[in-house]
Amino acid sequence: TQVQTFITFPAMMLKNPMDGMPLEWKLVTMIAAFQGACAVGQQLAQYKNHYNRGVVVFIILFRTIFAALFIVQAVKTDLGFITTVWFAYINIFFFAATFGFIQTALFILATSTVQVDKKEVIGYTTVFIMILGVCLGAIFSLPLRNVGSVDLPI
């Protein structure tokens, strides 16, 4: 999920301007929406009695749709409701909420399935994989930097 998130966020999500909104305001509001929705997802993951490993795997696969929609929004500007302002915010909300949920749920599930003396190793391993995902996402996002109609000063 880290690789998928950081390939598309924030560069792909912020590529096209929105009608009636300066690009600077889009940057600020979209990043704030991502952070807020991510916090909502992290809070939802605290209710660990309501999900299991299968639910988390399904959400990981399902959120690929949101990443694909970011790419479509960056490439095409004439796809009806998919390229509207409200759809962009709905997409970022669900993308970020699922990211926060998955990230927290995986940490909870990973440490709850091992013996007490192995929890430190699992904690280190999950953090290492998370950081590796961020790095790979940043590297894989480089080929996508020229996709779309606006070049961001990033």
Side-chain angles (χ1 to χ4, degrees):
T1 62
Q2 297 288 337
V3 175
Q4 184 186 62
T5 299
F6 292 102
I7 285 175
T8 57
F9 177 82
M12 291 302 294
M13 177 199 68
L14 301 173
K15 264 317 210 185
N16 284 334
M18 293 183 179
D19 293 335
M21 180 183 287
L23 185 61
E24 295 81 13
W25 278 105
K26 180 185 178 188
L27 295 172
V28 170
T29 58
M30 282 288 193
I31 291 172
F34 182 91
Q35 294 300 325
C38 185
V40 168
Q42 290 170 342
Q43 291 302 314
L44 290 174
Q46 299 299 319
Y47 301 103
K48 59 185 172 186
N49 295 333
H50 293 34
Y51 62 88
N52 57 22
R53 191 176 342 160
V55 171
V56 174
V57 170
F58 173 76
I59 292 173
I60 289 170
L61 296 174
F62 179 71
R63 74 188 301 267
T64 305
I65 294 169
F66 304 120
L69 287 171
F70 285 131
I71 296 170
V72 169
Q73 288 172 334
V75 174
K76 301 280 187 181
T77 58
D78 57 350
L79 290 177
F81 76 93
I82 291 178
T83 55
T84 60
V85 174
W86 63 267
F87 188 81
Y89 281 99
I90 289 172
N91 194 32
I92 191 66
F93 177 82
F94 285 114
F95 186 70
T98 55
F99 173 73
F101 177 84
I102 291 167
Q103 188 177 22
T104 304
L106 287 175
F107 275 97
I108 291 171
L109 290 174
T111 57
S112 67
T113 58
V114 296
Q115 300 169 350
V116 174
D117 60 333
K118 301 289 184 190
K119 288 188 187 259
E120 184 177 344
V121 174
I122 287 295
Y124 170 80
T125 305
T126 53
V127 170
F128 177 77
I129 290 170
M130 183 180 73
I131 292 170
L132 180 65
V134 171
C135 293
L136 289 175
I139 291 168
F140 292 149
S141 71
L142 292 175
L144 299 174
R145 72 181 180 271
N146 294 325
V147 173
S149 63
V150 176
D151 289 327
L152 295 174
I154 297 176

